[in-house]
């Protein structure tokens, strides 16, 4: 009923006391039978940044890491603890592309299952529209190998493996001219 990478099938021991008596008490909760520690599986927050060039083409990155090595992605990443989504968006673009973005506007939230090191990390990807004057000065760094621009309507969704990124592109197409 759950995939091999689902927390219910991966987490075997209490992270507090190390007990093996650590049963799942639901699809997203565990309780240790020895020390009563409760553990909940929640969505991790992440950001995706939507940057368009002067031709109305959207910026995509190529992944330099697993999962989905070599496939398309949108720039962004996990939000650090106690960081705002806006701060994470600015930081991730600086880290991945070496430029500064501004004028962030919330576009929507898109759930995803991100399988990393054999473990399903459930995320909620917050998409932000952003602006920059530095698109011509971008350099691919960090966990991306290169970048490219595509019209949302023309991007090959098979090249974009993440469910949330696919849904962001679909919503951009649906809401074209209104954001
Ligand atoms: Zn315990």
């Amino acid at each position: 009923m759950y995939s091999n990478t689902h927390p219910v099938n991966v987490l075997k021991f209490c992270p507090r006391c190390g007990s093996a008596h650590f049963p799942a008490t639901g699809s997203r909760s565990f309780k240790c039978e020895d020390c009563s520690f409760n553990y909940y599986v929640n969505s991790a927050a992440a950001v995706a940044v939507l940057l368009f060039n002067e031709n109305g083409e959207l910026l995509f990155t190529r992944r330099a890491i697993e999962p989905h090595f070599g496939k398309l992605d949108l720039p962004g990443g996990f939000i650090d603890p106690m960081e705002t989504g806006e701060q994470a968006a600015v930081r991730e673009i600086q880290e991945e592309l070496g430029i500064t973005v501004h004028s962030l506007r919330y576009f929507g939230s898109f759930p995803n299952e991100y399988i990393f090191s054999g473990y399903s990390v459930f995320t909620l990807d917050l998409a932000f529209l952003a602006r920059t004057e530095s698109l011509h000065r971008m350099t691919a760094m960090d966990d991306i190998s290169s970048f490219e621009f595509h019209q949302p309507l023309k991007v090959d969704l098979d090249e974009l493996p993440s469910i949330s990124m696919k849904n962001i592109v679909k919503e951009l197409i649906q809401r074209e001219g209104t954001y």
Side-chain angles (χ1 to χ4, degrees):
M1 127 187 196
Y2 298 112
S3 69
N4 287 341
T5 57
H6 190 282
V8 162
N9 287 326
V10 176
L11 303 180
K12 306 290 184 200
F13 301 97
C14 172
R16 186 198 210 182
C17 76
S19 168
H21 305 125
F22 187 61
T25 49
S27 63
R28 49 187 293 274
S29 60
F30 296 79
K31 182 162 188 178
C32 178
E33 291 174 346
D34 287 326
C35 78
S36 299
F37 182 73
N38 285 289
Y39 180 76
Y40 291 91
V41 175
N42 298 311
S43 290
V47 291
V49 183
L50 311 175
L51 281 165
F52 288 90
N53 67 11
E54 63 280 8
N55 300 321
E57 296 167 323
L58 182 63
L59 173 67
F60 291 88
T61 56
R62 287 272 169 196
R63 295 179 61 84
I65 55 166
E66 295 293 353
H68 309 310
F69 179 93
K71 294 287 190 178
L72 280 185
D73 203 355
L74 288 166
F78 285 101
I79 300 174
D80 286 342
M82 302 311 290
E83 187 179 43
T84 68
E86 288 82 354
Q87 288 166 343
V90 171
R91 175 182 55 72
E92 285 287 344
I93 294 294
Q94 190 72 54
E95 288 173 4
E96 292 184 348
L97 297 160
I99 62 167
T100 302
V101 297
H102 60 84
S103 304
L104 275 83
R105 281 188 298 133
Y106 181 65
F107 180 73
S109 63
F110 301 83
N112 195 27
E113 182 181 1
Y114 183 83
I115 299 171
F116 186 72
S117 60
Y119 184 68
S120 289
V121 179
F122 296 98
T123 72
L124 185 63
D125 300 343
L126 312 180
F128 288 93
L129 295 152
R131 292 182 185 280
T132 183
E133 284 71 47
S134 309
L135 283 184
H136 59 286
R137 290 200 285 108
M138 290 191 295
T139 310
M141 298 184 287
D142 200 28
D143 49 6
I144 68 166
S145 59
S146 61
F147 53 84
E148 50 203 85
F149 289 90
H150 297 283
Q151 296 281 355
L153 204 54
K154 289 185 183 160
V155 70
D156 179 1
L157 291 183
D158 290 337
E159 279 289 289
L160 197 61
S162 149
I163 299 158
S164 54
M165 302 303 148
K166 276 187 173 74
N167 285 331
I168 289 171
V169 169
K170 286 178 187 169
E171 188 148 334
L172 280 168
I173 293 166
Q174 204 173 24
R175 286 166 57 183
E176 200 193 345
T178 66
Y179 50 82

